Amino acid sequence: MSNTTAERPRPSLPRRAAVTAAGAAALVGLAGLTVPGPAYAAGTATTAAVAQPAGPGFGDCPALPAGVDPARWRCEVHTAAPRFTMGEVTMALAPITMTHAEGPLPDGTDGQVWGALRSTPTAVPGGLTGTAPDSGARPLGLAIRPEYGGRSDFYTGQFSLRFRLLSPLLPHGCVIGADAPVDFRLKRSGPSQWLSTNPPLIAFSAYDDTFTAPAADHCGPLTAPLNHRLGLPAPSGNLLSYDATYTFRTYDQLPPR
């Protein structure tokens, strides 16, 4: 998987230590602060035409298992516009693109192979304190980036994600679901719609209002106040809702590598 973030210039150690202490104090002083935003009612997402996946295209299609028929396996590229409520934060994420392969195994059972997840960071409204400018300005800016959590089953709509938290005041390992990822079980909000048959492009809407949001871990001295600010862990009251499209090609139609 190739999710990268440009390296940010860091302040000198004495200045950074002072800024960290100030940031921690600001977070502690804002305990219980929430980020306002509309709640998305479960099951009310509407199917919408989302742009056909761009960027990686079919370049992330994984290698097939040995012994399968390439003409019966297809590479699917899925692009979604996620919105979520997690703990005390409600926001829309930058689009994510997930690629995987699926088809029959030699024994006749359904098979799947994970490819990749690509996305970019999204600024969290209010930053680290809940009142910082949303421009991501240092030092109190905060952004979130979804990453693959290691489990997926696209036949049943189950997959897992981790959410990396990015800020000049946080270490790179600061992640929601660092040790145990967030597991989603998607439910369709309505029937799928074929937007195009050549190339194939199918739109659908889905949601999950049952997942548990774990705490952020490995965030250094700001771990506890950051979790307080985000309302984590949150065993209930969470919601993932998004419109999505996917396209596909069978492996006998993909260009040789």
Side-chain angles (χ1 to χ4, degrees):
M1 184 169 64
S2 175
N3 290 334
T4 58
T5 302
E7 184 67 22
R8 295 184 173 120
R10 297 182 178 272
S12 62
L13 289 178
R15 179 176 179 273
R16 191 180 179 206
V19 170
T20 299
L27 285 172
V28 171
L30 290 168
L33 183 66
T34 64
V35 177
Y40 295 99
T44 60
T46 57
T47 303
V50 181
Q52 184 170 355
F58 291 95
D60 286 330
C61 294
L64 292 180
V68 302
D69 182 357
R72 300 182 64 192
W73 274 71
R74 64 189 200 181
C75 179
E76 295 193 1
V77 182
H78 168 127
T79 297
R83 305 180 301 276
F84 73 69
T85 295
M86 183 181 293
E88 298 291 348
V89 173
T90 295
M91 62 181 294
L93 293 174
I96 62 175
T97 298
M98 293 185 283
T99 304
H100 79 286
E102 62 181 49
L105 294 170
D107 63 2
T109 59
D110 292 332
Q112 299 181 70
V113 181
W114 173 253
L117 182 151
R118 295 179 183 269
S119 189
T120 56
T122 304
V124 177
L128 280 170
T129 64
T131 58
D134 293 344
S135 63
R138 294 170 176 79
L140 296 179
L142 177 65
I144 189 168
R145 185 182 69 208
E147 299 178 354
Y148 182 53
R151 297 191 287 267
S152 61
D153 183 349
F154 289 95
Y155 289 118
T156 62
Q158 301 179 42
F159 64 94
S160 61
L161 297 175
R162 292 183 171 89
F163 296 90
R164 189 170 300 276
L165 297 172
L166 304 168
S167 171
L169 298 184
L170 298 175
H172 179 72
C174 182
V175 174
I176 298 171
D179 300 322
V182 185
D183 290 317
F184 298 99
R185 297 174 179 266
L186 294 181
K187 300 177 281 283
R188 293 294 182 97
S189 303
S192 299
Q193 296 181 7
W194 279 80
L195 304 179
S196 170
T197 57
N198 187 20
L201 186 63
I202 301 98
F204 68 93
S205 293
Y207 71 95
D208 180 6
D209 57 357
T210 62
F211 68 92
T212 297
D217 289 315
H218 313 303
C219 303
L222 296 185
T223 298
L226 178 62
N227 279 315
H228 199 127
R229 177 262 187 275
L230 298 176
L232 299 174
S236 61
N238 307 301
L239 176 66
L240 174 73
S241 176
Y242 65 82
D243 297 324
T245 62
Y246 70 93
T247 187
F248 61 87
R249 287 185 189 174
T250 55
Y251 268 75
D252 60 332
Q253 296 177 332
L254 291 175
R257 297 188 177 183

